[in-house]
Amino acid sequence: MSMNSTFVAWHIAAMLMAAAALWSLRHELRETPASRFEWALPPALAVAVAGVLLFVSPGKRSELWTIAIMGGMAIGLGAGLLLKVDTDFERKLVRVLRTWDGVAVASALLLLALARFVTSDLMGRTSGRYGVLGAIAAFLAAYLVGRVITVRYYTAPKAIHLDMVRGVKPPN
């Protein structure tokens, strides 16, 4: 397996993981309660996508990536404070009123993975070696991580208790 075909496999894996991250955020759009695992899965997949995009990036700019990660984390932590959350403490379920930011971030991450695949593997374009695409992916992944950390450890514990069933939208 040549180095080029290895990168193609990594790019395809990044696209599949980004699509899975987007799919796993559907509970936010449907306003259905989700378990801790369902809340942790999208950021974990996003971190994996960002890791792949950073790994295959021809421009290794660790200072840019560090700033992107710190900025994404800070903004994500703040975004988690803005979410309207209901919690079922007994079943450990969390429901958020319809929100679009997580889905928008996961969609942008999927577009980045797709852009890397198309430009690098299909078009054969050489990179500018700035590492900007990897930095943007790291920013987006850190945003999702920060948002979930705030929801899990700050917003949800302060929310009102509501008896819920996983995957079923409670009546308003």
Side-chain angles (χ1 to χ4, degrees):
M1 189 183 251
S2 71
M3 186 63 134
N4 191 29
S5 63
T6 303
F7 279 170
V8 170
W10 280 109
H11 291 151
I12 291 172
M15 288 187 307
L16 292 174
M17 287 185 293
L22 180 60
W23 176 254
S24 63
L25 282 167
R26 66 192 182 281
H27 63 88
E28 292 186 14
L29 294 178
R30 296 187 322 195
E31 299 180 357
T32 57
S35 67
R36 291 177 181 172
F37 174 77
E38 291 169 311
W39 275 93
L41 185 60
L45 289 168
V47 167
V49 171
V52 167
L53 293 179
L54 290 173
F55 173 73
V56 299
S57 177
K60 305 293 185 203
R61 302 270 314 264
S62 60
E63 68 282 353
L64 176 63
W65 297 347
T66 302
I67 291 169
I69 291 168
M70 290 176 14
M73 183 67 77
I75 294 171
L77 289 169
L81 295 172
L82 301 175
L83 297 177
K84 305 293 186 229
V85 173
D86 296 325
T87 303
D88 186 329
F89 293 100
E90 180 184 354
R91 293 185 184 103
K92 296 181 173 72
L93 298 174
V94 175
R95 175 183 81 119
V96 65
L97 296 181
R98 183 169 289 125
T99 181
W100 293 92
D101 65 320
V103 173
V105 167
S107 298
L109 197 58
L110 177 59
L111 289 175
L112 284 176
L114 199 67
R116 172 60 75 193
F117 175 72
V118 168
T119 60
S120 297
D121 300 326
L122 297 182
M123 295 173 53
R125 182 187 68 81
T126 57
S127 173
R129 299 196 182 274
Y130 295 112
V132 175
L133 191 134
I136 294 169
F139 175 87
L140 296 172
Y143 175 89
L144 288 176
V145 169
R147 185 171 165 264
V148 166
I149 288 172
T150 303
V151 167
R152 169 72 175 91
Y153 294 105
Y154 184 78
T155 311
K158 291 182 161 207
I160 63 166
H161 175 82
L162 183 65
D163 288 333
M164 296 184 279
V165 176
R166 185 182 156 274
V168 178
K169 182 177 177 180
N172 287 337

